[in-house]
């Protein structure tokens, strides 16, 4: 399934550590496309593991994480305004 993940981490005394961990975990599973936005294809099991790992760091009362899911990327229209940074253009 195609997944778009985005998050907002509150900038307080523990926020930097939370942000660092959420970023690292997200980058292991998905492609980083913009500051706090990731996308990619995952199996149900990989998505489950990703959510389990992120759940250890997201503070339910301060932080926000949203996951959009679609069967395939082709079912989602993507439009860029401004600079388009195509992270997949490096692949041959």
């Amino acid at each position: 399934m195609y997944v778009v993940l985005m998050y907002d981490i509150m900038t307080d005394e523990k926020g930097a550590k939370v942000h660092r961990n959420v970023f690292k975990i997200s980058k292991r599973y998905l492609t980083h496309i913009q500051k706090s936005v990731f996308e990619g294809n995952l199996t149900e099991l990989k998505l489950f593991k990703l959510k389990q790992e992120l759940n250890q760091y997201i503070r339910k009362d301060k932080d926000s994480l949203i996951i959009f899911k679609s069967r395939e990327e082709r079912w989602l229209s993507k439009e860029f305004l401004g600079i388009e940074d195509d992270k997949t253009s490096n692949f041959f």
Side-chain angles (χ1 to χ4, degrees):
M1 89 181 60
Y2 181 71
V3 173
V4 176
L5 178 145
M6 56 190 73
Y7 59 82
D8 283 323
I9 306 299
M10 181 178 275
T11 53
D12 58 6
E13 60 189 41
K14 294 183 181 181
K17 182 178 181 183
V18 171
H19 184 272
R20 218 174 16 258
N21 287 310
V22 169
F23 182 89
K24 285 179 185 178
I25 292 166
S26 300
K27 194 164 171 90
R28 275 201 317 257
Y29 289 88
L30 300 164
T31 302
H32 181 229
I33 59 169
Q34 206 171 36
K35 297 183 193 246
S36 61
V37 182
F38 295 79
E39 69 177 357
N41 288 298
L42 295 178
T43 63
E44 287 283 345
L45 181 58
K46 291 252 186 196
L47 178 58
F48 177 79
K49 288 179 179 181
L50 170 63
K51 292 194 297 190
Q52 291 289 92
E53 288 184 47
L54 291 172
N55 222 8
Q56 296 175 33
Y57 296 100
I58 295 293
R59 301 167 295 173
K60 308 284 188 266
D61 59 333
K62 297 181 180 184
D63 305 322
S64 173
L65 187 137
I66 302 169
I67 297 173
F68 294 95
K69 300 183 282 186
S70 178
R71 285 182 294 170
E72 294 181 34
E73 184 177 359
R74 68 183 172 146
W75 298 112
L76 184 67
S77 174
K78 189 188 312 182
E79 181 177 344
F80 289 90
L81 300 176
I83 298 172
E84 179 179 344
D85 190 3
D86 185 9
K87 300 291 184 186
T88 60
S89 65
N90 295 330
F91 294 106
F92 295 108

